[in-house]
mmCIF file of all heavy atoms in Angstrom:
data_model
loop_
_atom_site.group_PDB
_atom_site.id
_atom_site.type_symbol
_atom_site.label_atom_id
_atom_site.label_comp_id
_atom_site.label_asym_id
_atom_site.label_seq_id
_atom_site.Cartn_x
_atom_site.Cartn_y
_atom_site.Cartn_z
ATOM 1 N N ARG A 1 132.513 106.893 104.052
ATOM 2 C CA ARG A 1 131.639 106.171 104.987
ATOM 3 C C ARG A 1 130.178 106.569 104.757
ATOM 4 O O ARG A 1 129.289 105.700 104.894
ATOM 5 C CB ARG A 1 132.059 106.513 106.414
ATOM 6 C CG ARG A 1 133.426 105.967 106.800
ATOM 7 C CD ARG A 1 133.719 106.072 108.252
ATOM 8 N NE ARG A 1 135.099 105.641 108.575
ATOM 9 C CZ ARG A 1 135.459 105.137 109.740
ATOM 10 N NH1 ARG A 1 134.586 104.954 110.697
ATOM 11 N NH2 ARG A 1 136.710 104.800 109.933
ATOM 12 N N VAL A 2 129.964 107.824 104.422
ATOM 13 C CA VAL A 2 128.571 108.263 104.171
ATOM 14 C C VAL A 2 128.038 107.678 102.857
ATOM 15 O O VAL A 2 126.886 107.195 102.778
ATOM 16 C CB VAL A 2 128.525 109.806 104.107
ATOM 17 C CG1 VAL A 2 127.177 110.278 103.535
ATOM 18 C CG2 VAL A 2 128.704 110.370 105.490
ATOM 19 N N ILE A 3 128.842 107.665 101.808
ATOM 20 C CA ILE A 3 128.418 107.062 100.534
ATOM 21 C C ILE A 3 127.939 105.624 100.720
ATOM 22 O O ILE A 3 126.960 105.201 100.120
ATOM 23 C CB ILE A 3 129.552 107.129 99.480
ATOM 24 C CG1 ILE A 3 129.824 108.578 99.015
ATOM 25 C CG2 ILE A 3 129.262 106.253 98.291
ATOM 26 C CD1 ILE A 3 131.046 108.706 98.169
ATOM 27 N N ASP A 4 128.660 104.897 101.550
ATOM 28 C CA ASP A 4 128.378 103.464 101.747
ATOM 29 C C ASP A 4 127.159 103.192 102.581
ATOM 30 O O ASP A 4 126.694 102.043 102.623
ATOM 31 C CB ASP A 4 129.573 102.820 102.444
ATOM 32 C CG ASP A 4 130.785 102.652 101.536
ATOM 33 O OD1 ASP A 4 130.616 102.833 100.305
ATOM 34 O OD2 ASP A 4 131.898 102.372 102.038
ATOM 35 N N LYS A 5 126.547 104.220 103.185
ATOM 36 C CA LYS A 5 125.418 104.004 104.088
ATOM 37 C C LYS A 5 124.274 104.976 103.688
ATOM 38 O O LYS A 5 124.206 106.085 104.195
ATOM 39 C CB LYS A 5 125.854 104.246 105.548
ATOM 40 C CG LYS A 5 124.774 103.892 106.576
ATOM 41 C CD LYS A 5 125.338 104.115 107.949
ATOM 42 C CE LYS A 5 124.286 103.757 109.020
ATOM 43 N NZ LYS A 5 124.837 103.982 110.407
ATOM 44 N N PRO A 6 123.411 104.516 102.780
ATOM 45 C CA PRO A 6 122.324 105.387 102.358
ATOM 46 C C PRO A 6 121.498 105.934 103.515
ATOM 47 O O PRO A 6 121.258 105.235 104.515
ATOM 48 C CB PRO A 6 121.506 104.477 101.441
ATOM 49 C CG PRO A 6 122.467 103.507 100.913
ATOM 50 C CD PRO A 6 123.411 103.257 102.041
ATOM 51 N N ALA A 7 121.039 107.171 103.381
ATOM 52 C CA ALA A 7 120.256 107.809 104.420
ATOM 53 C C ALA A 7 119.005 107.033 104.728
ATOM 54 O O ALA A 7 118.374 106.423 103.841
ATOM 55 C CB ALA A 7 119.899 109.212 103.960
ATOM 56 N N GLN A 8 118.653 107.006 106.017
ATOM 57 C CA GLN A 8 117.457 106.353 106.479
ATOM 58 C C GLN A 8 116.492 107.355 107.095
ATOM 59 O O GLN A 8 116.909 108.391 107.612
ATOM 60 C CB GLN A 8 117.801 105.282 107.523
ATOM 61 C CG GLN A 8 118.752 104.234 107.056
ATOM 62 C CD GLN A 8 118.144 103.272 106.062
ATOM 63 O OE1 GLN A 8 116.993 102.871 106.205
ATOM 64 N NE2 GLN A 8 118.890 102.932 105.004
ATOM 65 N N ALA A 9 115.230 107.050 107.048
ATOM 66 C CA ALA A 9 114.243 107.878 107.731
ATOM 67 C C ALA A 9 114.420 107.795 109.233
ATOM 68 O O ALA A 9 114.880 106.782 109.760
ATOM 69 C CB ALA A 9 112.847 107.431 107.318
ATOM 70 N N ASN A 10 114.107 108.888 109.926
ATOM 71 C CA ASN A 10 114.138 108.926 111.350
ATOM 72 C C ASN A 10 112.743 108.576 111.882
ATOM 73 O O ASN A 10 111.824 109.407 111.779
ATOM 74 C CB ASN A 10 114.582 110.279 111.833
ATOM 75 C CG ASN A 10 114.577 110.419 113.349
ATOM 76 O OD1 ASN A 10 114.346 109.450 114.100
ATOM 77 N ND2 ASN A 10 114.841 111.612 113.857
ATOM 78 N N PRO A 11 112.530 107.391 112.487
ATOM 79 C CA PRO A 11 111.192 107.012 112.920
ATOM 80 C C PRO A 11 110.636 107.895 114.041
ATOM 81 O O PRO A 11 109.422 107.906 114.299
ATOM 82 C CB PRO A 11 111.379 105.554 113.360
ATOM 83 C CG PRO A 11 112.803 105.436 113.689
ATOM 84 C CD PRO A 11 113.540 106.346 112.750
ATOM 85 N N LYS A 12 111.520 108.646 114.709
ATOM 86 C CA LYS A 12 111.095 109.488 115.821
ATOM 87 C C LYS A 12 110.791 110.932 115.375
ATOM 88 O O LYS A 12 110.422 111.758 116.221
ATOM 89 C CB LYS A 12 112.195 109.498 116.914
ATOM 90 C CG LYS A 12 112.465 108.103 117.536
ATOM 91 C CD LYS A 12 113.535 108.192 118.630
ATOM 92 C CE LYS A 12 113.775 106.810 119.213
ATOM 93 N NZ LYS A 12 114.836 106.878 120.274
ATOM 94 N N TRP A 13 110.977 111.206 114.117
ATOM 95 C CA TRP A 13 110.761 112.557 113.637
ATOM 96 C C TRP A 13 109.275 112.919 113.696
ATOM 97 O O TRP A 13 108.410 112.123 113.286
ATOM 98 C CB TRP A 13 111.269 112.673 112.214
ATOM 99 C CG TRP A 13 111.405 114.113 111.698
ATOM 100 C CD1 TRP A 13 112.485 114.883 111.775
ATOM 101 C CD2 TRP A 13 110.383 114.885 111.041
ATOM 102 N NE1 TRP A 13 112.216 116.120 111.178
ATOM 103 C CE2 TRP A 13 110.954 116.124 110.747
ATOM 104 C CE3 TRP A 13 109.050 114.633 110.679
ATOM 105 C CZ2 TRP A 13 110.222 117.137 110.103
ATOM 106 C CZ3 TRP A 13 108.309 115.658 110.102
ATOM 107 C CH2 TRP A 13 108.902 116.878 109.799
ATOM 108 N N VAL A 14 108.978 114.111 114.201
ATOM 109 C CA VAL A 14 107.575 114.571 114.262
ATOM 110 C C VAL A 14 107.486 116.004 113.752
ATOM 111 O O VAL A 14 108.339 116.831 113.969
ATOM 112 C CB VAL A 14 107.018 114.512 115.713
ATOM 113 C CG1 VAL A 14 106.844 113.058 116.158
ATOM 114 C CG2 VAL A 14 107.940 115.241 116.685
ATOM 115 N N GLY A 15 106.400 116.301 113.072
ATOM 116 C CA GLY A 15 106.248 117.565 112.434
ATOM 117 C C GLY A 15 105.974 118.737 113.352
ATOM 118 O O GLY A 15 106.197 119.901 112.981
ATOM 119 N N ASP A 16 105.454 118.447 114.565
ATOM 120 C CA ASP A 16 105.150 119.568 115.465
ATOM 121 C C ASP A 16 106.402 120.014 116.288
ATOM 122 O O ASP A 16 106.386 120.994 116.970
ATOM 123 C CB ASP A 16 104.007 119.215 116.435
ATOM 124 C CG ASP A 16 104.266 117.975 117.246
ATOM 125 O OD1 ASP A 16 105.341 117.363 117.090
ATOM 126 O OD2 ASP A 16 103.391 117.590 118.042
ATOM 127 N N ASN A 17 107.468 119.244 116.152
ATOM 128 C CA ASN A 17 108.779 119.648 116.694
ATOM 129 C C ASN A 17 109.849 119.146 115.755
ATOM 130 O O ASN A 17 110.649 118.281 116.084
ATOM 131 C CB ASN A 17 108.955 119.061 118.110
ATOM 132 C CG ASN A 17 110.228 119.552 118.762
ATOM 133 O OD1 ASN A 17 110.750 120.660 118.443
ATOM 134 N ND2 ASN A 17 110.761 118.745 119.692
ATOM 135 N N PRO A 18 109.926 119.712 114.550
ATOM 136 C CA PRO A 18 110.755 119.112 113.486
ATOM 137 C C PRO A 18 112.262 119.268 113.749
ATOM 138 O O PRO A 18 112.756 120.337 114.121
ATOM 139 C CB PRO A 18 110.374 119.915 112.250
ATOM 140 C CG PRO A 18 109.813 121.201 112.758
ATOM 141 C CD PRO A 18 109.172 120.894 114.080
ATOM 142 N N ASP A 19 112.975 118.154 113.551
ATOM 143 C CA ASP A 19 114.441 118.152 113.676
ATOM 144 C C ASP A 19 115.017 118.517 112.300
ATOM 145 O O ASP A 19 114.837 117.792 111.331
ATOM 146 C CB ASP A 19 114.871 116.767 114.085
ATOM 147 C CG ASP A 19 116.376 116.568 114.032
ATOM 148 O OD1 ASP A 19 117.095 117.596 113.945
ATOM 149 O OD2 ASP A 19 116.826 115.400 114.039
ATOM 150 N N PRO A 20 115.764 119.644 112.183
ATOM 151 C CA PRO A 20 116.298 120.059 110.901
ATOM 152 C C PRO A 20 117.298 119.090 110.294
ATOM 153 O O PRO A 20 117.483 119.112 109.060
ATOM 154 C CB PRO A 20 116.980 121.410 111.227
ATOM 155 C CG PRO A 20 116.303 121.906 112.457
ATOM 156 C CD PRO A 20 115.991 120.671 113.245
ATOM 157 N N GLY A 21 117.929 118.279 111.107
ATOM 158 C CA GLY A 21 118.984 117.391 110.601
ATOM 159 C C GLY A 21 118.547 116.015 110.110
ATOM 160 O O GLY A 21 119.328 115.293 109.513
ATOM 161 N N THR A 22 117.279 115.671 110.398
ATOM 162 C CA THR A 22 116.740 114.382 109.943
ATOM 163 C C THR A 22 115.344 114.570 109.405
ATOM 164 O O THR A 22 114.876 115.731 109.268
ATOM 165 C CB THR A 22 116.724 113.364 111.109
ATOM 166 O OG1 THR A 22 115.784 113.795 112.088
ATOM 167 C CG2 THR A 22 118.085 113.213 111.745
ATOM 168 N N SER A 23 114.631 113.494 109.124
ATOM 169 C CA SER A 23 113.299 113.630 108.568
ATOM 170 C C SER A 23 112.558 112.301 108.638
ATOM 171 O O SER A 23 113.187 111.231 108.928
ATOM 172 C CB SER A 23 113.388 114.036 107.080
ATOM 173 O OG SER A 23 112.120 114.045 106.452
ATOM 174 N N SER A 24 111.274 112.329 108.418
ATOM 175 C CA SER A 24 110.522 111.077 108.235
ATOM 176 C C SER A 24 110.803 110.443 106.894
ATOM 177 O O SER A 24 110.423 109.332 106.604
ATOM 178 C CB SER A 24 109.021 111.356 108.366
ATOM 179 O OG SER A 24 108.603 112.325 107.413
#
C-alpha cells in the first residue's frame, strides 16, 4: 500500500515546531 502511494509534502509542516514524521 505504501509503494503504491508516493509520499506527499505536509502543507501544515512548520519549522518552528517540526513534526519528525512528516515534512514540507
Side-chain angles (χ1 to χ4, degrees):
R1 294 190 186 209
V2 167
I3 289 172
D4 288 346
K5 187 177 180 181
Q8 302 290 319
N10 177 5
K12 297 180 180 180
W13 193 92
V14 290
D16 57 0
N17 185 26
D19 171 17
T22 67
S23 175
S24 58

